[in-house]
Amino acid sequence: MPAEAQLPAITHRFPRHRRSAGRARQVFREAVRWGLDPGLTDTAELLLGELAANAVLAATGPGRQIEVRFGLTEGALTLEVADAGDGEPVVRDPAVWDEHGRGMVLVAALAEEWGVRPRYGVGKSVWVALKVTPLNPLTGR
């Protein structure tokens, strides 16, 4: 993608349902299919799915939704997932046999930066930033 190209911020809301992480990945993939490096797209899709899955599991009242936002500006792809939960994600050290607890390990390993900020009203927003390098127009890489 040329350095000057930008993807305006896109926001979607999903129900707190186990299928919402997959739907968030699908929406992201459809929105960026026209120009990001395939490796970056795969990494971003993985991280977005992990953040959305965490948001679905966040302890909140019934009927709450998760909000997914992503955009491309100034050489960085930013992904953000907000929920109404109080807790913050933790990078764990899961044992080999643990079935859960690896999502934030992936986030910490693959993202250039990540963090948590309060959400307007109630809850939190977890964000990640991935560095975007322009594709070579001759090779597409």
Side-chain angles (χ1 to χ4, degrees), residues 80-137:
E80 189 170 356
V81 179
D83 63 61
D86 292 332
E88 290 193 11
V90 176
V91 178
R92 301 185 190 284
D93 186 17
V96 173
W97 54 84
D98 288 344
E99 294 181 17
H100 302 284
R102 289 177 179 76
M104 291 309 296
V105 173
L106 290 171
V107 169
L110 298 175
E112 296 288 327
E113 295 181 80
W114 73 275
V116 182
R117 62 177 147 249
R119 183 181 187 191
Y120 178 75
V122 63
K124 67 186 171 299
S125 181
V126 183
W127 59 271
V128 300
L130 298 169
K131 184 178 178 184
V132 176
T133 54
L135 293 177
N136 181 326

Side-chain angles (χ1 to χ4, degrees), residues 6-14 20-21 23-25 27-29 31-32 36 44-45 47-49 51-53 55 65-73 76-83 115 117-120 124-130:
Q6 295 189 355
L7 175 70
I10 297 171
T11 303
H12 286 275
R13 288 192 177 92
F14 299 100
S20 291
R23 291 178 58 208
R25 289 191 309 269
V27 165
F28 172 78
R29 177 69 72 169
V32 300
L36 288 179
E45 186 178 352
L47 296 181
L48 184 64
L51 296 181
Q65 294 182 325
I66 64 169
E67 184 176 274
V68 173
R69 180 180 167 99
F70 47 88
L72 179 64
T73 56
L77 174 63
T78 303
L79 313 167
E80 189 170 356
V81 179
D83 63 61
R117 62 177 147 249
R119 183 181 187 191
Y120 178 75
K124 67 186 171 299
S125 181
V126 183
W127 59 271
V128 300
L130 298 169

